[in-house]
Amino acid sequence: MKCNFLFDLDQTLLDFHASERKALEIVLRANGLPFSDDIYSAFKECNKSLWLKLEKKEISRTDVFSNRFKYIFEKCGGDLSVLDALKVNGDFIKTMAVNGVLLDGSYEFVERLKREIEGCKIYIVSNGATVNAMGRLKSTGLDKFMDGFFISEDMGVAKPDPAFFDIVFERIKQPRESCIVIGDSLSSDMLGAKNASLSSVWFMPQGDVDGAMREYAIDFSACSYDELFGVLKNWANGIGGKA
């Protein structure tokens, strides 16, 4: 049986925060607004809380995009009667899309997976805007290693909803037991894997690792790309024996 690696994108392969910070500074200054580390921290916290609400289906994607910039306009002293939150959000996404930043070692890691694990397939499974995700992947060159892309904006459903992974299985036409989810987020990646009855690897775990491993039924954890490669290599060898 061939193995299928379902990779989250941000903070798993790409440095989302580096791209986000750069893009936010560019669009705020372009609209005559100030930028600082405090403003970026406020935006990041607001954005995180909004995406968590989206994962729980409490708000829409448009709410996320509009509310995060309305909030930061207020923090910056901007005039909400003049500034268009959705337009600025669109500019922000386009700016991020040409400013992809690799996590240290991620390119070499993905290249090694393809080289040393025979027949493996690598797919991106990401919540977010398609232009943003695909643009950053292409700007780093990681896209050439990928066998497919599953972005929530295109799919109309987001992790951790099991329907997200149902669409993945329908399109790749591979058995569930041949797939493993790799990601950094408990609330989307690990819960999504649990909801879809998939094997999982929690990458760069933080906090109460043992407690989270139990709560989310996580199979493995890894704190570096070398460790992650070993986990995936052993897992792939295991499922290969089940073919």
Side-chain angles (χ1 to χ4, degrees), residues 6 125 158-166 169 176 179-183 185-202 210-220:
L6 310 183
V125 290
K159 301 174 295 182
D161 193 323
F164 179 100
F165 292 100
D166 288 341
F169 300 136
R176 197 171 296 254
C179 300
I180 188 167
V181 176
I182 306 100
S185 170
L186 290 174
S187 61
S188 62
D189 304 319
M190 298 301 99
L191 182 57
K194 179 182 179 182
N195 290 343
S197 300
L198 286 166
S199 298
S200 60
V201 187
W202 186 18
D210 290 340
M213 295 277 287
R214 291 191 296 271
E215 181 179 353
Y216 292 91
I218 300 167
D219 297 283
F220 311 99

Side-chain angles (χ1 to χ4, degrees), residues 82-143:
V82 175
L83 293 162
D84 185 331
L86 285 177
K87 179 185 181 304
V88 175
N89 180 80
D91 293 340
F92 169 73
I93 289 173
K94 290 174 185 175
T95 303
M96 277 194 73
V98 294
N99 286 286
V101 179
L102 291 162
L103 288 175
D104 287 345
S106 63
Y107 187 95
E108 294 79 7
F109 162 71
V110 173
E111 187 179 43
R112 185 183 180 193
L113 282 180
K114 279 292 193 181
R115 184 175 67 249
E116 297 188 25
I117 301 182
E118 184 179 357
C120 76
K121 300 288 187 180
I122 302 177
Y123 299 95
I124 294 298
V125 290
S126 177
N127 287 348
T130 304
V131 168
N132 187 328
M134 293 302 299
R136 286 183 296 123
L137 268 171
K138 289 178 181 177
S139 74
T140 61
L142 269 185
D143 61 309

Side-chain angles (χ1 to χ4, degrees), residues 17 20-30 32-41 43 72 76 92:
H17 300 306
E20 178 185 58
R21 189 186 191 284
K22 183 174 183 179
L24 184 65
E25 179 175 8
I26 290 170
V27 298
L28 289 182
R29 294 197 187 283
L33 298 172
F35 179 82
S36 67
D37 288 341
D38 287 343
I39 288 171
Y40 173 58
S41 294
F43 178 85
I72 212 63
C76 293
F92 169 73

Side-chain angles (χ1 to χ4, degrees), residues 143-233:
D143 61 309
K144 67 175 174 284
F145 297 113
M146 303 303 161
D147 295 283
F149 309 91
F150 298 93
I151 314 296
S152 62
E153 183 179 49
D154 281 343
M155 298 166 72
V157 63
K159 301 174 295 182
D161 193 323
F164 179 100
F165 292 100
D166 288 341
I167 294 171
V168 174
F169 300 136
E170 180 182 343
R171 293 184 185 173
I172 70 174
K173 302 188 185 307
Q174 294 294 314
R176 197 171 296 254
E177 59 269 23
S178 73
C179 300
I180 188 167
V181 176
I182 306 100
D184 68 301
S185 170
L186 290 174
S187 61
S188 62
D189 304 319
M190 298 301 99
L191 182 57
K194 179 182 179 182
N195 290 343
S197 300
L198 286 166
S199 298
S200 60
V201 187
W202 186 18
F203 185 57
M204 300 298 285
Q206 300 178 12
D208 179 6
V209 175
D210 290 340
M213 295 277 287
R214 291 191 296 271
E215 181 179 353
Y216 292 91
I218 300 167
D219 297 283
F220 311 99
S221 66
C223 295
S224 69
Y225 285 121
D226 282 343
E227 187 177 2
L228 181 56
F229 180 84
V231 167
L232 294 178
K233 178 76 170 177

